[in-house]
Amino acid sequence: MKNIETLQRLQTIHKRIQQGNTGTPWEFAKTLNISRRALYNYIELLKSYKAPICYSKSDKKFYYTHDYDLNISVSVTALSNGEAINIMGGTLFFSRVHGTCTEHIYL
């Protein structure tokens, strides 16, 4: 379930940036209960999704340079052996098989 935690954290980071409520990198990381390095890793991941993130030293906060929205949805489906997997749109982000169950996380 580590990937679900990652997606939840990305959503939290995105919302705080949208609200202008981040503070310095150290403060932001502390609020999220992660290291500064981990925060920058998440920010780089958001940038890989074309998030226009910058940091203002004078305002001491992260911000988006233009409108940006991030929609994350998670779908978990348990399948028995032989059942077909239907992907109803979106991009497959993660797939893992555990015995007879398959988890799918879509972005």
Side-chain angles (χ1 to χ4, degrees):
M1 294 293 174
K2 183 90 171 134
N3 287 317
I4 292 175
E5 181 182 313
T6 298
L7 294 174
Q8 289 172 329
R9 190 155 282 145
L10 285 175
Q11 186 70 36
T12 299
I13 290 168
H14 165 67
K15 285 181 180 182
R16 291 189 64 129
I17 292 171
Q18 273 188 320
Q19 296 166 350
N21 185 20
T22 66
T24 66
W26 183 86
E27 292 167 335
F28 195 15
K30 186 176 177 184
T31 300
L32 297 168
N33 201 28
I34 59 175
S35 68
R36 255 182 13 129
R37 179 71 257 154
L39 172 65
Y40 280 110
N41 288 340
Y42 284 112
I43 288 173
E44 287 304 313
L45 183 55
L46 282 170
K47 286 182 177 182
S48 76
Y49 296 127
K50 309 294 188 227
I53 301 172
C54 285
Y55 180 75
S56 170
K57 288 182 181 181
S58 60
D59 293 332
K60 297 180 181 174
K61 68 179 184 177
F62 289 93
Y63 66 96
Y64 290 127
T65 59
H66 57 274
D67 287 344
Y68 177 79
D69 201 9
L70 177 69
N71 294 309
I72 296 175
S73 62
V74 177
S75 173
V76 178
T77 306
L79 301 173
S80 62
N81 287 337
E83 284 186 300
I85 300 171
N86 286 324
I87 299 175
M88 303 300 291
T91 303
L92 182 63
F93 179 76
F94 173 78
S95 180
R96 176 175 54 186
V97 177
H98 291 290
T100 61
C101 294
T102 304
E103 295 175 333
H104 293 279
I105 299 171
Y106 300 93
L107 283 179

